[in-house]
Amino acid sequence: MHTRIDNLEARSIEVSEYEAFYRTTCTAFGEEPKPTAMEAEKPSVEFDRTLAVFDHGLPVATTAMLTMDVVVPGGHRLPLGGLSWVGTMPGYTRRGLLTGLVQAQLQDMLQREEPVGGLWASESTIYGRFGFGVATWSIGLTLPRAHARLRLNTDSNTDSNPHSNADRSVGLLTTESALDILPPLYDRLARGDVGSLGRNEGWWRVHLADIEEHRDGGGPLYHAVHRDAQGNLDGYVSYRITVKWEKGYPGNSLDVVQLVAGSLDTACALWRHCFDLSLIETITASSRPVDEPLRWMIHDARRLQITRLSDALWLRILDTVRCLEARSYATSGRLVLEVADSFGGFARGRYLLEADSGRAQVSRTRRSPDLRLDVATLSSAYLGGVSFSALAAAGRLEEVTSGAATRADALFAVPRAPYCSTDF
Ligand SMILES: CC(C)(COP(=O)(O)OP(=O)(O)OC[C@H]1O[C@@H](n2cnc3c(N)ncnc32)[C@H](O)[C@@H]1OP(=O)(O)O)[C@@H](O)C(=O)NCCC(=O)NCCS
């Protein structure tokens, strides 16, 4: 890629320029560039999809796209360009460098026939102007270990002594084996979730490198896998422990970073593994689905406190027809959407959506619209993570035909809240 932004050269970086690129992004974040983190993050970079603005030969504003896909309602994996490595050096901000870079990256996505973009935002004020909307949310949980008791007596949960740790269906992996075992497990078990993203080897290498800078004061990442009665792997939990001793008492907390299970029994066994570990006072989970089943799996649901609600995956529809036709629909019906797109006009237009037997045909139309909304709002509603009625109540869309928001809710409804656990 090669262009000019604010009279400066913008282009993809060479592999030899990675260190300068990395340092620029760190400086934009106010972080100290560390050689270990720099090396650990390198495998995730697709150099031909980087785009940086250069001044006097040095990168002063950075972006990089990751080639991914996202699971949409109905299970289809839609190609997605993941925007990452976004940073502008102090001294170069607020002169349109990020704006120019995002514009060029979106154009490039269209050429690559990626109909949707995605990102995780450092601040929720940055990306709405570029047409991105929050598509999945996640919650942070905390549960005192003393109240962590599952309701179900599954095979692996029959022991009444909470200190016995008798569950032999769950075992720890070595860090070396995690790279072989976890990626296929994730692909097999988590890719049914609407909102889940494909993870390439680079992503896994960065995640499993478990660099100190990403630990937030906690210990190393442990990975425990579950085997079913036939000995087949059917779930895993990754967690880290923060050690704390006060007045001679153990007060460790265990943070569940990821838990993926192929069945309820497996989910119980993996949670129980966390609940049964020695010296733990508090169980936390930093990023779980908003409809997390654990609340319904334990005896004392009130003790499971939600500590945080945060935006997770942001989406940006580029090709409206392709995106709307890729997902499934819960009811049959017709809807005319008028979509505004003030950043590049990529998604702009009036579209007739005709859904029947779960699928929809979408075409441009001259009919009068039922709903008027901008592309960021449509991108938020796309996976079913928020209803059109809620968006209407917030003034985020205009209901031109009375009752159209309710009709749209029925069409776009999904059984489970969309969930994305792949931060990038
Ligand atoms: C976010 C960041 C990349 C913006 O870069 P930039 O080159 O200054 O962006 P632009 O000049 O293109 O700004 C475009 C618009 O976004 C606005 N904007 C930029 N950053 C913003 C922020 N953090 N919050 C709110 N608005 C912001 C600008 O005011 C400008 O608005 P305008 O068009 O109405 O004038 C830069 O501030 C930065 O490096 N921040 C720290 C690192 C970071 O958070 N990166 C994002 C990772 S997801």
Side-chain angles (χ1 to χ4, degrees):
M1 264 186 286
H2 204 281
T3 183
R4 290 194 78 77
I5 299 170
D6 196 28
N7 261 333
L8 296 170
E9 179 192 27
R11 60 169 172 81
S12 299
I13 63 162
E14 303 292 333
V15 179
S16 59
E17 292 170 315
Y18 171 66
E19 181 170 348
F21 180 81
Y22 177 81
R23 285 180 175 278
T24 298
T25 316
C26 282
T27 309
F29 275 86
E31 290 171 5
E32 187 190 351
K34 298 245 179 82
T36 43
M38 182 174 82
E39 278 315 305
E41 297 202 22
K42 195 171 178 180
S44 72
V45 180
E46 297 171 39
F47 283 89
D48 63 326
R49 301 202 70 178
T50 59
L51 186 62
V53 178
F54 285 80
D55 193 14
H56 296 98
L58 282 176
V60 294
T62 57
T63 57
M65 300 300 292
L66 308 178
T67 307
M68 304 179 118
D69 62 69
V70 60
V71 174
V72 301
H76 182 74
R77 296 178 183 188
L78 196 59
L80 172 143
L83 178 61
S84 190
W85 291 84
V86 172
T88 300
M89 283 277 267
Y92 289 86
T93 55
R94 309 303 180 262
R95 52 187 265 192
L97 298 190
L98 176 63
T99 306
L101 289 169
V102 173
Q103 182 81 34
Q105 290 284 22
L106 295 183
Q107 291 282 4
D108 188 59
M109 280 177 53
L110 269 190
Q111 268 160 30
R112 292 171 186 266
E113 300 193 351
E114 289 168 335
V116 66
L119 58 80
W120 287 61
S122 62
E123 293 183 277
S124 59
T125 45
I126 302 173
Y127 294 101
R129 77 193 66 238
F130 304 133
F132 287 85
V134 182
T136 77
W137 298 82
S138 62
I139 51 174
L141 302 173
T142 179
L143 177 64
R145 155 87 175 76
H147 297 280
R149 264 184 67 224
L150 293 167
R151 296 168 63 91
L152 282 182
N153 274 330
T154 62
D155 289 348
S156 54
N157 191 22
T158 47
D159 194 78
S160 56
N161 175 0
H163 302 296
S164 72
N165 207 359
D167 186 353
R168 295 205 173 81
S169 62
V170 179
L172 285 182
L173 289 181
T174 61
T175 311
E176 295 72 43
S177 60
L179 190 56
D180 290 330
I181 291 175
L182 297 188
L185 260 185
Y186 172 85
D187 282 344
R188 183 156 55 83
L189 302 173
R191 298 309 310 281
D193 297 346
V194 171
S196 77
L197 296 177
R199 300 172 173 178
N200 60 21
E201 192 185 328
W203 187 94
W204 278 105
R205 283 194 182 280
V206 174
H207 175 67
L208 295 176
D210 188 27
I211 47 181
E212 193 97 33
E213 290 74 10
H214 292 176
R215 290 186 185 178
D216 231 1
L221 202 53
Y222 291 101
H223 310 282
V225 286
H226 181 265
R227 287 182 191 279
D228 65 15
Q230 286 71 46
N232 300 317
L233 291 172
D234 69 348
Y236 70 90
V237 57
S238 301
Y239 58 86
R240 69 173 86 251
I241 293 170
T242 303
V243 174
K244 188 171 142 203
W245 288 86
E246 252 174 22
K247 299 179 187 161
Y249 295 109
N252 294 356
S253 62
L254 178 151
D255 188 53
V256 172
V257 174
Q258 172 123 78
L259 186 145
V260 170
S263 70
L264 176 57
D265 280 4
T266 305
C268 286
L270 292 170
W271 281 115
R272 193 169 136 85
H273 170 81
C274 299
F275 296 170
D276 281 354
L277 286 174
S278 299
L279 309 179
I280 305 295
E281 191 177 40
T282 312
I283 318 285
T284 63
S286 39
S287 175
R288 296 298 298 164
V290 291
D291 57 358
E292 168 62 62
L294 183 63
R295 184 197 309 214
W296 304 94
M297 289 161 64
I298 56 174
H299 277 282
D300 195 347
R302 194 182 296 171
R303 298 286 178 167
L304 184 77
Q305 295 278 313
I306 295 176
T307 51
R308 207 167 68 124
L309 172 70
S310 32
D311 52 286
L313 178 69
W314 292 59
L315 289 184
R316 202 288 183 208
I317 290 175
L318 282 173
D319 183 335
T320 310
V321 171
R322 193 163 156 211
C323 284
L324 290 176
E325 286 190 343
R327 60 155 290 171
S328 63
Y329 292 87
T331 57
S332 298
R334 280 185 180 172
L335 194 68
V336 178
L337 299 169
E338 183 161 302
V339 183
D341 185 351
S342 58
F343 189 73
F346 302 98
R348 181 170 47 215
R350 197 180 290 176
Y351 302 93
L352 170 65
L353 184 149
E354 295 174 290
D356 188 22
S357 309
R359 309 303 310 181
Q361 282 203 327
V362 180
S363 52
R364 289 188 180 267
T365 184
R366 287 171 188 272
R367 294 179 191 217
S368 60
D370 296 312
L371 296 175
R372 276 201 189 99
L373 70 181
D374 68 12
V375 60
T377 307
L378 181 62
S379 300
S380 288
Y382 177 57
L383 298 180
V386 60
S387 71
F388 288 84
S389 295
L391 291 165
R396 294 292 301 267
L397 59 82
E398 184 191 345
E399 192 177 42
V400 186
T401 310
S402 172
T406 314
R407 276 195 291 127
D409 291 345
L411 280 163
F412 282 72
V414 289
R416 292 284 311 269
Y419 172 57
C420 179
S421 60
T422 307
D423 194 347
F424 60 91

